[in-house]
PDB file of all heavy atoms in Angstrom:
ATOM      1  N   ARG A 218     -34.958  28.819  36.999  1.00  0.00           N
ATOM      2  CA  ARG A 218     -34.386  28.153  38.163  1.00  0.00           C
ATOM      3  C   ARG A 218     -34.031  26.715  37.811  1.00  0.00           C
ATOM      4  O   ARG A 218     -34.810  25.990  37.208  1.00  0.00           O
ATOM      5  CB  ARG A 218     -35.402  28.187  39.310  1.00  0.00           C
ATOM      6  CG  ARG A 218     -34.877  27.571  40.595  1.00  0.00           C
ATOM      7  CD  ARG A 218     -35.880  27.811  41.714  1.00  0.00           C
ATOM      8  NE  ARG A 218     -37.151  27.171  41.411  1.00  0.00           N
ATOM      9  CZ  ARG A 218     -37.425  25.893  41.700  1.00  0.00           C
ATOM     10  NH1 ARG A 218     -36.505  25.137  42.270  1.00  0.00           N
ATOM     11  NH2 ARG A 218     -38.607  25.386  41.419  1.00  0.00           N
ATOM     12  N   MET A 219     -32.825  26.310  38.184  1.00  0.00           N
ATOM     13  CA  MET A 219     -32.387  24.955  37.914  1.00  0.00           C
ATOM     14  C   MET A 219     -33.155  23.976  38.796  1.00  0.00           C
ATOM     15  O   MET A 219     -33.418  24.239  39.977  1.00  0.00           O
ATOM     16  CB  MET A 219     -30.881  24.825  38.189  1.00  0.00           C
ATOM     17  CG  MET A 219     -30.017  25.698  37.269  1.00  0.00           C
ATOM     18  SD  MET A 219     -30.115  25.174  35.551  1.00  0.00           S
ATOM     19  CE  MET A 219     -29.274  23.597  35.663  1.00  0.00           C
ATOM     20  N   GLU A 220     -33.526  22.863  38.233  1.00  0.00           N
ATOM     21  CA  GLU A 220     -34.214  21.822  38.974  1.00  0.00           C
ATOM     22  C   GLU A 220     -33.395  20.551  38.927  1.00  0.00           C
ATOM     23  O   GLU A 220     -32.787  20.223  37.905  1.00  0.00           O
ATOM     24  CB  GLU A 220     -35.606  21.568  38.379  1.00  0.00           C
ATOM     25  CG  GLU A 220     -36.531  22.773  38.455  1.00  0.00           C
ATOM     26  CD  GLU A 220     -37.887  22.470  37.867  1.00  0.00           C
ATOM     27  OE1 GLU A 220     -38.059  21.324  37.387  1.00  0.00           O
ATOM     28  OE2 GLU A 220     -38.760  23.345  37.893  1.00  0.00           O
ATOM     29  N   HIS A 221     -33.360  19.835  40.067  1.00  0.00           N
ATOM     30  CA  HIS A 221     -32.618  18.584  40.146  1.00  0.00           C
ATOM     31  C   HIS A 221     -33.497  17.440  39.664  1.00  0.00           C
ATOM     32  O   HIS A 221     -34.606  17.251  40.146  1.00  0.00           O
ATOM     33  CB  HIS A 221     -32.156  18.330  41.580  1.00  0.00           C
ATOM     34  CG  HIS A 221     -31.125  19.323  42.049  1.00  0.00           C
ATOM     35  ND1 HIS A 221     -29.812  19.288  41.659  1.00  0.00           N
ATOM     36  CD2 HIS A 221     -31.254  20.411  42.870  1.00  0.00           C
ATOM     37  CE1 HIS A 221     -29.148  20.287  42.222  1.00  0.00           C
ATOM     38  NE2 HIS A 221     -30.004  20.993  42.957  1.00  0.00           N
ATOM     39  N   ALA A 222     -32.976  16.699  38.704  1.00  0.00           N
ATOM     40  CA  ALA A 222     -33.717  15.542  38.214  1.00  0.00           C
ATOM     41  C   ALA A 222     -33.467  14.362  39.142  1.00  0.00           C
ATOM     42  O   ALA A 222     -32.344  14.170  39.630  1.00  0.00           O
ATOM     43  CB  ALA A 222     -33.264  15.196  36.795  1.00  0.00           C
ATOM     44  N   PRO A 223     -34.470  13.554  39.436  1.00  0.00           N
ATOM     45  CA  PRO A 223     -34.265  12.394  40.319  1.00  0.00           C
ATOM     46  C   PRO A 223     -33.335  11.377  39.671  1.00  0.00           C
ATOM     47  O   PRO A 223     -33.338  11.192  38.451  1.00  0.00           O
ATOM     48  CB  PRO A 223     -35.687  11.838  40.485  1.00  0.00           C
ATOM     49  CG  PRO A 223     -36.422  12.322  39.286  1.00  0.00           C
ATOM     50  CD  PRO A 223     -35.844  13.664  38.956  1.00  0.00           C
ATOM     51  N   ARG A 224     -32.515  10.776  40.518  1.00  0.00           N
ATOM     52  CA  ARG A 224     -31.604   9.759  40.021  1.00  0.00           C
ATOM     53  C   ARG A 224     -32.374   8.516  39.616  1.00  0.00           C
ATOM     54  O   ARG A 224     -33.347   8.140  40.235  1.00  0.00           O
ATOM     55  CB  ARG A 224     -30.574   9.399  41.094  1.00  0.00           C
ATOM     56  CG  ARG A 224     -29.618  10.545  41.427  1.00  0.00           C
ATOM     57  CD  ARG A 224     -28.585  10.068  42.445  1.00  0.00           C
ATOM     58  NE  ARG A 224     -27.626  11.111  42.746  1.00  0.00           N
ATOM     59  CZ  ARG A 224     -26.626  10.956  43.620  1.00  0.00           C
ATOM     60  NH1 ARG A 224     -26.486   9.808  44.266  1.00  0.00           N
ATOM     61  NH2 ARG A 224     -25.794  11.960  43.833  1.00  0.00           N
ATOM     62  N   ARG A 225     -31.871   7.887  38.549  1.00  0.00           N
ATOM     63  CA  ARG A 225     -32.498   6.636  38.112  1.00  0.00           C
ATOM     64  C   ARG A 225     -31.700   5.470  38.664  1.00  0.00           C
ATOM     65  O   ARG A 225     -30.467   5.511  38.742  1.00  0.00           O
ATOM     66  CB  ARG A 225     -32.562   6.569  36.575  1.00  0.00           C
ATOM     67  CG  ARG A 225     -33.448   7.627  35.963  1.00  0.00           C
ATOM     68  CD  ARG A 225     -33.749   7.275  34.509  1.00  0.00           C
ATOM     69  NE  ARG A 225     -32.557   7.329  33.697  1.00  0.00           N
ATOM     70  CZ  ARG A 225     -32.162   8.409  33.027  1.00  0.00           C
ATOM     71  NH1 ARG A 225     -32.869   9.515  33.100  1.00  0.00           N
ATOM     72  NH2 ARG A 225     -31.060   8.387  32.310  1.00  0.00           N
ATOM     73  N   GLU A 226     -32.395   4.461  39.031  1.00  0.00           N
ATOM     74  CA  GLU A 226     -31.721   3.274  39.540  1.00  0.00           C
ATOM     75  C   GLU A 226     -30.913   2.620  38.429  1.00  0.00           C
ATOM     76  O   GLU A 226     -31.241   2.718  37.246  1.00  0.00           O
ATOM     77  CB  GLU A 226     -32.754   2.272  40.087  1.00  0.00           C
ATOM     78  CG  GLU A 226     -33.569   2.827  41.254  1.00  0.00           C
ATOM     79  CD  GLU A 226     -32.706   3.090  42.469  1.00  0.00           C
ATOM     80  OE1 GLU A 226     -31.657   2.412  42.608  1.00  0.00           O
ATOM     81  OE2 GLU A 226     -33.065   3.968  43.276  1.00  0.00           O
ATOM     82  N   ALA A 227     -29.812   1.982  38.817  1.00  0.00           N
ATOM     83  CA  ALA A 227     -28.967   1.301  37.843  1.00  0.00           C
ATOM     84  C   ALA A 227     -29.770   0.248  37.111  1.00  0.00           C
ATOM     85  O   ALA A 227     -30.552  -0.491  37.712  1.00  0.00           O
ATOM     86  CB  ALA A 227     -27.776   0.646  38.564  1.00  0.00           C
ATOM     87  N   GLY A 228     -29.568   0.194  35.837  1.00  0.00           N
ATOM     88  CA  GLY A 228     -30.256  -0.783  35.017  1.00  0.00           C
ATOM     89  C   GLY A 228     -31.609  -0.332  34.540  1.00  0.00           C
ATOM     90  O   GLY A 228     -32.259  -1.037  33.766  1.00  0.00           O
ATOM     91  N   HIS A 229     -32.077   0.858  35.005  1.00  0.00           N
ATOM     92  CA  HIS A 229     -33.395   1.345  34.574  1.00  0.00           C
ATOM     93  C   HIS A 229     -33.258   2.073  33.246  1.00  0.00           C
ATOM     94  O   HIS A 229     -32.388   2.921  33.089  1.00  0.00           O
ATOM     95  CB  HIS A 229     -33.976   2.295  35.624  1.00  0.00           C
ATOM     96  CG  HIS A 229     -35.299   2.882  35.204  1.00  0.00           C
ATOM     97  ND1 HIS A 229     -36.463   2.152  35.244  1.00  0.00           N
ATOM     98  CD2 HIS A 229     -35.617   4.107  34.732  1.00  0.00           C
ATOM     99  CE1 HIS A 229     -37.465   2.912  34.828  1.00  0.00           C
ATOM    100  NE2 HIS A 229     -36.968   4.109  34.504  1.00  0.00           N
ATOM    101  N   HIS A 230     -34.051   1.740  32.271  1.00  0.00           N
ATOM    102  CA  HIS A 230     -34.005   2.350  30.945  1.00  0.00           C
ATOM    103  C   HIS A 230     -35.214   3.255  30.771  1.00  0.00           C
ATOM    104  O   HIS A 230     -36.345   2.841  31.022  1.00  0.00           O
ATOM    105  CB  HIS A 230     -33.984   1.270  29.850  1.00  0.00           C
ATOM    106  CG  HIS A 230     -32.764   0.388  29.917  1.00  0.00           C
ATOM    107  ND1 HIS A 230     -31.529   0.787  29.486  1.00  0.00           N
ATOM    108  CD2 HIS A 230     -32.620  -0.871  30.403  1.00  0.00           C
ATOM    109  CE1 HIS A 230     -30.657  -0.195  29.677  1.00  0.00           C
ATOM    110  NE2 HIS A 230     -31.298  -1.210  30.239  1.00  0.00           N
ATOM    111  N   PHE A 231     -34.930   4.496  30.362  1.00  0.00           N
ATOM    112  CA  PHE A 231     -36.010   5.460  30.157  1.00  0.00           C
ATOM    113  C   PHE A 231     -36.674   5.187  28.808  1.00  0.00           C
ATOM    114  O   PHE A 231     -36.001   5.078  27.787  1.00  0.00           O
ATOM    115  CB  PHE A 231     -35.449   6.890  30.188  1.00  0.00           C
ATOM    116  CG  PHE A 231     -36.493   7.938  29.993  1.00  0.00           C
ATOM    117  CD1 PHE A 231     -37.385   8.240  31.005  1.00  0.00           C
ATOM    118  CD2 PHE A 231     -36.592   8.614  28.788  1.00  0.00           C
ATOM    119  CE1 PHE A 231     -38.353   9.205  30.832  1.00  0.00           C
ATOM    120  CE2 PHE A 231     -37.555   9.581  28.601  1.00  0.00           C
ATOM    121  CZ  PHE A 231     -38.438   9.879  29.634  1.00  0.00           C
ATOM    122  N   THR A 232     -37.974   5.082  28.794  1.00  0.00           N
ATOM    123  CA  THR A 232     -38.709   4.830  27.557  1.00  0.00           C
ATOM    124  C   THR A 232     -39.625   6.007  27.259  1.00  0.00           C
ATOM    125  O   THR A 232     -40.211   6.598  28.170  1.00  0.00           O
ATOM    126  CB  THR A 232     -39.559   3.542  27.671  1.00  0.00           C
ATOM    127  OG1 THR A 232     -40.464   3.686  28.754  1.00  0.00           O
ATOM    128  CG2 THR A 232     -38.668   2.331  27.885  1.00  0.00           C
ATOM    129  N   VAL A 233     -39.734   6.369  25.995  1.00  0.00           N
ATOM    130  CA  VAL A 233     -40.589   7.462  25.567  1.00  0.00           C
ATOM    131  C   VAL A 233     -41.953   6.895  25.183  1.00  0.00           C
ATOM    132  O   VAL A 233     -42.021   5.956  24.385  1.00  0.00           O
ATOM    133  CB  VAL A 233     -39.973   8.199  24.358  1.00  0.00           C
ATOM    134  CG1 VAL A 233     -40.876   9.329  23.897  1.00  0.00           C
ATOM    135  CG2 VAL A 233     -38.591   8.718  24.711  1.00  0.00           C
ATOM    136  N   PRO A 234     -43.033   7.435  25.755  1.00  0.00           N
ATOM    137  CA  PRO A 234     -44.364   6.913  25.407  1.00  0.00           C
ATOM    138  C   PRO A 234     -44.616   7.004  23.905  1.00  0.00           C
ATOM    139  O   PRO A 234     -44.160   7.923  23.231  1.00  0.00           O
ATOM    140  CB  PRO A 234     -45.309   7.833  26.197  1.00  0.00           C
ATOM    141  CG  PRO A 234     -44.480   8.378  27.311  1.00  0.00           C
ATOM    142  CD  PRO A 234     -43.095   8.489  26.760  1.00  0.00           C
TER     143      PRO A 234
END
Side-chain angles (χ1 to χ4, degrees):
R218 183 173 62 86
M219 297 294 292
E220 297 180 359
H221 293 284
R224 294 183 178 179
R225 295 195 294 268
E226 298 295 333
H229 177 76
H230 297 284
F231 180 74
T232 59
V233 179

